């Protein structure tokens, strides 16, 4: 109609231009709405990721903040093994945190939303806190193993002392020359063992000094165990002297 110079060609042209403009506006609006929906979907995904990360991190804080250091050497070895598995699990989740940080940074650049920035900092803060607790727990377990090893040395030495005490409580009130000679020989062996025990006590004392300086939280326990050992070896030395005088 327009090409044939229809008497309404001008109006038709105007209407076609209006329709074309309206269609372009519609396309632009659809594109804008689509982009807005994509942004909303990304924001929704971000907050869902935040909740998942926060829930997971909070669930790990219980393990990382545990104050269970075992009741003996075997028990602390079990705890250390389990905590090594826990740390390995943390390492596998570090990739997820990296992905979260990348996604969060992109979203912050695109949206410029204060709440997104705040939640991102919160998640990062929780993660850093978890790592800090985990490293502290790892060091604490290493210290606990040293203290339990110290305890075992003392307990083993105390058992050794009791063994010698039992020999020194045997009655020596006899007139048999051969029996007395035999007991003197045994006494010589006991004195050699007691010398070895005293050397062991000196080594344990050095260990105690190092532990007291390194782990101040365990000072009372370490001092008490050392005192128990020193009293026991002092008693043993007195028993040896008494037996010497009897023979």
């Amino acid at each position: 109609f327009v090409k044939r110079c229809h008497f309404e060609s001008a109006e038709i042209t105007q209407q076609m231009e209006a329709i074309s403009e309206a269609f372009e506006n519609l396309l632009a609006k659809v594109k804008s709405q689509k982009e807005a929906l994509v942004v909303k979907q990304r924001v929704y995904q971000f907050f869902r990721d935040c909740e998942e990360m926060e829930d997971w991190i909070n669930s790990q804080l219980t393990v990382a903040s545990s104050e269970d250091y075992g009741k003996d050497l075997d028990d602390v070895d079990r705890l250390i093994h389990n905590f090594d598995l826990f740390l390995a699990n943390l390492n596998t989740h570090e990739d997820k945190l990296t992905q979260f940080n990348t996604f969060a940074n992109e979203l912050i650049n695109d949206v410029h939303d204060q709440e997104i920035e705040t939640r991102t900092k919160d998640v990062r803060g929780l993660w850093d806190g978890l790592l800090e607790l985990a490293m502290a727990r790892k060091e604490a377990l290493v210290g606990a193993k040293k203290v339990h090893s110290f305890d075992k040395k003392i307990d083993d030495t105390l058992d050794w002392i009791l063994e010698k005490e039992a020999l020194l409580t045997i009655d020596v009130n006899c007139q048999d020359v051969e029996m007395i000679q035999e007991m003197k020989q045994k006494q010589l062996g006991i004195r050699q063992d007691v010398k070895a025990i005293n050397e062991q006590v000196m080594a344990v004392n050095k260990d105690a000094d190092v532990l007291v300086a390194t782990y101040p939280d365990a000072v009372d326990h370490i001092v008490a165990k050392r005192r128990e050992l020193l009293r026991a070896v002092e008693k043993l030395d007195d028993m040896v002297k008494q037996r010497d005088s009897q023979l």
Side-chain angles (χ1 to χ4, degrees):
F1 288 110
V2 176
K3 290 181 178 179
R4 293 176 182 178
C5 299
H6 190 277
F7 67 94
E8 293 180 346
S9 61
E11 184 179 349
I12 292 172
T13 299
Q14 186 178 4
Q15 288 178 351
M16 289 179 65
E17 290 175 351
I19 291 171
S20 178
E21 183 180 355
F23 183 68
E24 291 297 327
N25 290 336
L26 178 61
L27 289 178
K29 186 176 181 180
V30 168
K31 181 181 179 182
S32 177
Q33 288 178 338
K34 182 179 180 180
E35 290 174 350
L37 286 173
V38 170
V39 170
K40 285 183 178 180
Q41 191 275 333
R42 292 174 67 205
V43 170
Y44 172 79
Q45 181 66 46
F46 167 80
F47 284 112
R48 191 176 70 175
D49 289 349
C50 280
E51 290 179 2
E52 290 179 356
M53 290 291 294
E54 289 168 345
D55 288 345
W56 184 84
I57 291 172
N58 285 325
S59 71
Q60 305 308 301
L61 287 174
T62 302
V63 178
S65 60
S66 172
E67 295 184 355
D68 179 10
Y69 301 114
K71 61 182 184 295
D72 55 32
L73 194 55
D74 289 338
D75 200 24
V76 78
D77 278 337
R78 177 186 59 80
L79 290 173
I80 289 173
H81 172 72
N82 290 340
F83 199 70
D84 285 341
L85 296 178
F86 170 81
L87 291 176
N89 189 38
L90 282 190
N91 289 334
T92 61
H93 277 77
E94 196 161 8
D95 290 340
K96 291 185 177 180
L97 182 74
T98 301
Q99 293 173 5
F100 170 83
N101 283 332
T102 300
F103 179 47
N105 289 334
E106 291 174 353
L107 196 58
I108 289 170
N109 290 332
D110 293 342
V111 178
H112 304 291
D113 187 299
Q114 184 61 44
E115 186 179 2
I116 294 174
E117 292 185 29
T118 301
R119 286 297 295 275
T120 301
K121 290 179 181 178
D122 289 344
V123 171
R124 290 172 180 169
L126 272 176
W127 175 259
D128 290 342
L130 174 60
L131 291 183
E132 185 177 346
L133 279 173
M135 292 303 101
R137 170 71 174 163
K138 182 178 180 180
E139 292 178 5
L141 285 172
V142 170
K145 181 170 182 176
K146 290 180 180 179
V147 173
H148 282 306
S149 296
F150 170 80
D151 287 349
K152 189 174 188 307
K153 282 184 182 179
I154 287 187
D155 291 340
D156 289 345
T157 307
L158 288 172
D159 287 342
W160 196 6
I161 290 173
L162 287 174
E163 190 180 301
K164 301 309 157 189
E165 284 183 356
L167 295 175
L168 290 168
T169 57
I170 298 174
D171 187 15
V172 295
N173 292 325
C174 65
Q175 301 300 322
D176 188 291
V177 176
E178 290 185 4
M179 180 66 72
I180 292 176
Q181 191 62 34
E182 182 181 344
M183 295 192 74
K184 285 184 177 180
Q185 285 296 116
K186 289 182 178 179
Q187 182 70 0
L188 181 62
I190 290 174
R191 281 201 298 267
Q192 290 174 342
D193 286 342
V194 170
K195 180 182 177 181
I197 289 173
N198 275 284
E199 290 174 354
Q200 174 77 358
V201 170
M202 290 177 62
V204 169
N205 257 326
K206 291 181 180 179
D207 291 343
D209 290 338
V210 173
L211 290 173
V212 164
T214 309
Y215 304 106
D217 291 343
V219 167
D220 291 343
H221 172 80
I222 295 167
V223 170
K225 290 292 288 185
R226 176 163 60 179
R227 187 183 299 118
E228 180 184 4
L229 178 62
L230 292 176
R231 286 174 177 171
V233 77
E234 183 179 355
K235 178 184 174 185
L236 179 63
D237 287 338
D238 290 341
M239 291 179 72
V240 170
K241 290 175 183 178
Q242 183 178 0
R243 175 55 57 87
D244 285 341
S245 65
Q246 291 173 343
L247 296 174

